[in-house]
Structure formats: structure tokens, C-alpha cells
Amino acid sequence: LNGSPESWQALEQAILVAGKEKAILHGLHIILPQSTVDSPQAMELQARFNQRCQEAGLQGSLAVVRGDIANQVSQHALLTDLVVLNVSHPPQPGLSGLASGLRAIIRQSARPVLSVAGSTSPMDKALVAFDGGLRSREALFVAAYLAEQWGTALTVLTLAEGGKVPASVQNYARDYLELHEIQADFIATDGPPELFLKVIHELEINLVLLGGYSGNVFKEVILGSVVSLLLREAKCPLLICR
């Protein structure tokens, strides 16, 4: 929380998740080196955070710390199950995107990151970006939990650029969901990453689950990253898994 409207919107999304999961909210406000933890701004944030937790019937606390934003978020993430933050400054295309603070948080965080853009989402119509990799499998596991516990409707999208989607990729997702008696829609096609945005719009998706950055920086810079693209363009929350 930095006090911006976007950060308060992230809190509202976190309140929705915490309410469904009966979870405790841990807020984090990071100040400049010359600022004090008991400054008027910090105290105002504390009061507003406490008030929203009380109104929502949730237990919560706000920590005020100094330091690098990405490092502090990553360190505090170790004590939690999920990081929720806003995407007011998404990674840009090309080399400049590598210096993004949000990208650093996603890469460093030991926990899934729920990015928030726009208004609070009910998170009841989810798209799973599934390529068969370990990170996308984690996204599939979380999606199955949401379907079972929240009643979230699922669509599994496998996208291959310039090639045919191997049948084994979606068969894995289909078999896993059928094992848990979860119904889902499946889309397998080839095309550019922008196809994700088309599907999100057409199906009125309000949550996307996907794996995080692959680690191939050269490919990310030259061809672009689906994660960064969705952070820039998608108007719904993204649940980015490790």
C-alpha cells in the first residue's frame, strides 16, 4: 500500500480473497529512508487499513518499513501465502521491461502474486494459460482449487506460436480436472500472445491464472513475454504462480 487509489483497490481485492478463505491480511507500506514510521501519512494509512479490515470482519495488520520495494515485498511474502498488489506500473516491452519493479517482485517472490487492475473482480470466470510446464501446472492446481471451493468456472487455453499444440499438453489438464470431477472448457490453437486478450474479452474472463517468467531473458526481450503483455493490457486480476 502506497496510499494511491490503485493500491487501495488491491486491498479491496485482497479483502475479497481473505473473506472467502477466512485469512489474515498483512498490509505493507514501504517508506523512503528519510521518512519516519509514525509520519502523518503512515498513521493515516494505518487507520484506514484497520478500518477496512474491521468493516470486512477480518483480522489484519499493517507493517511500515524502509527499504527497496521489491526486496521488502519478497521478504514479507515468505510469511504469507499470497501477495496482492496493483499494476499501475507494468513492465514495458523490450530491455526497459527488465528493470521493472513489478517484474522483480514476480521473479523474486516465493509465493504466488495476484496482480490487480481496475475494479474488484468476483474471480468467478477464470482462464488458465496452460503450456504443460511446471509453472502452468501450478496454475492449473490453483484453478482446480478455486473451481472446487469457490465455484469458479474454468477455461483452459493452450497457445502455440507457429506450430501445432501437442495433444498431450491439454490431455494432462483434462485428465487432472476430470480426476477432481471439475468441468472446464478447453481451447487449443496457435497464434500470437495477443490472442489471450481476445479470449479474455470474448469470454468475459475476470481472472487469469498463469505461470511466472520463464527465465529466458533473451527470448523475453526479443519475442516479448506473455506475463508482461497481460500485466500491461488485461483489465482483470492475474494470479501468477511459481
Side-chain angles (χ1 to χ4, degrees), residues 92-98 103 107 161 213-226 228:
Q92 297 303 306
L95 284 171
S96 62
L98 300 180
R103 179 183 181 277
R107 287 188 60 85
E161 292 187 64
Y213 291 100
S214 65
N216 190 329
V217 175
F218 177 79
K219 181 179 178 181
E220 182 182 332
V221 172
I222 301 301
L223 300 179
S225 163
V226 172
S228 293

Side-chain angles (χ1 to χ4, degrees), residues 43-65:
M43 297 302 290
E44 182 180 348
L45 282 168
Q46 286 270 11
R48 184 171 174 181
F49 179 89
N50 293 339
Q51 180 182 357
R52 283 299 296 123
C53 289
Q54 184 177 11
E55 291 171 349
L58 296 170
Q59 182 181 348
S61 62
L62 177 71
V64 181
V65 300

